[in-house]
Amino acid sequence: MCGILGLSILDKRRVGHQRFKQTLVQLAHDSQLRGRDSFGLYIQVGPLKQLWKTTVGPDFDFMVGEIFAQQSDHVFLMGLSRLTMSGSSIDLDSIQPIVIDGMVGVHNGIFTKVAGRELDPRSDLASKSDSVTFFQSLANQTDIGKSLLEV
């Protein structure tokens, strides 16, 4: 099981440092009710793009400090807390959000087929998560006309 969170704030100064931190902590807490093996958060504030991945819990004071140090007021974030079903909870590459070739994604559930190929949980997913397999396949697509459902 996974808990997905997302937030877009147009004016972080209007929201304020303390209220932003309280909201972020509450979102993370609520998402962790669905799984606590790992936690990842992608944050974009103007040109700053940061990805935090951990198995022990995020340092919200540091994150919020970094966010409010940026000039841009628009904040976008997405994250996921996860109960490990495939891959490894200690492998940072398996912790979501997944960032591949400028694409950021989160996924909840289990893929059983990627790029028209059945996945074998004993071999395909032993070393990486099905989400990594999916997003790598998506990033490798060269035919722009292909539907995302075909990936």
Side-chain angles (χ1 to χ4, degrees):
M1 294 185 351
C2 302
I4 296 174
L5 62 99
L7 184 64
S8 178
I9 295 177
L10 298 179
D11 187 349
K12 70 178 186 226
R13 309 252 180 242
R14 186 169 169 212
V15 172
H17 189 277
Q18 190 60 32
R19 188 167 152 217
F20 179 83
K21 180 181 172 189
Q22 289 171 341
T23 301
L24 182 57
V25 168
Q26 187 64 50
L27 281 170
H29 175 268
D30 290 349
S31 77
Q32 289 176 331
L33 297 174
R34 305 274 301 162
R36 293 180 175 267
D37 291 346
S38 62
F39 181 81
L41 191 65
Y42 173 84
I43 297 177
Q44 184 170 345
V45 186
L48 175 74
K49 298 172 187 165
Q50 292 200 344
L51 182 65
W52 280 284
K53 296 182 176 188
T54 182
T55 58
V56 295
D59 180 349
F60 291 112
D61 288 324
F62 179 77
M63 284 183 195
V64 173
E66 287 287 303
I67 290 166
F68 273 81
Q70 300 303 310
Q71 294 297 318
S72 175
D73 282 332
H74 181 249
V75 178
F76 170 79
L77 62 89
M78 79 166 81
L80 186 134
S81 58
R82 175 175 175 239
L83 177 65
T84 304
M85 301 299 285
S86 65
S88 167
S89 64
I90 59 171
D91 175 16
L92 292 181
D93 290 336
S94 291
I95 298 175
Q96 297 185 49
I98 308 283
V99 179
I100 298 175
D101 291 344
M103 176 177 46
V104 182
V106 295
H107 163 256
N108 186 17
I110 297 175
F111 287 109
T112 58
K113 190 175 188 178
V114 173
R117 185 174 69 83
E118 298 290 329
L119 295 179
D120 178 356
R122 295 171 303 227
S123 62
D124 291 311
L125 305 180
S127 61
K128 61 184 174 183
S129 79
D130 57 337
S131 299
V132 172
T133 302
F134 172 77
F135 287 114
Q136 283 177 337
S137 177
L138 185 61
N140 291 336
Q141 296 301 308
T142 56
D143 182 3
I144 301 291
K146 260 195 170 172
S147 163
L148 293 179
L149 298 176
E150 295 176 289
V151 176

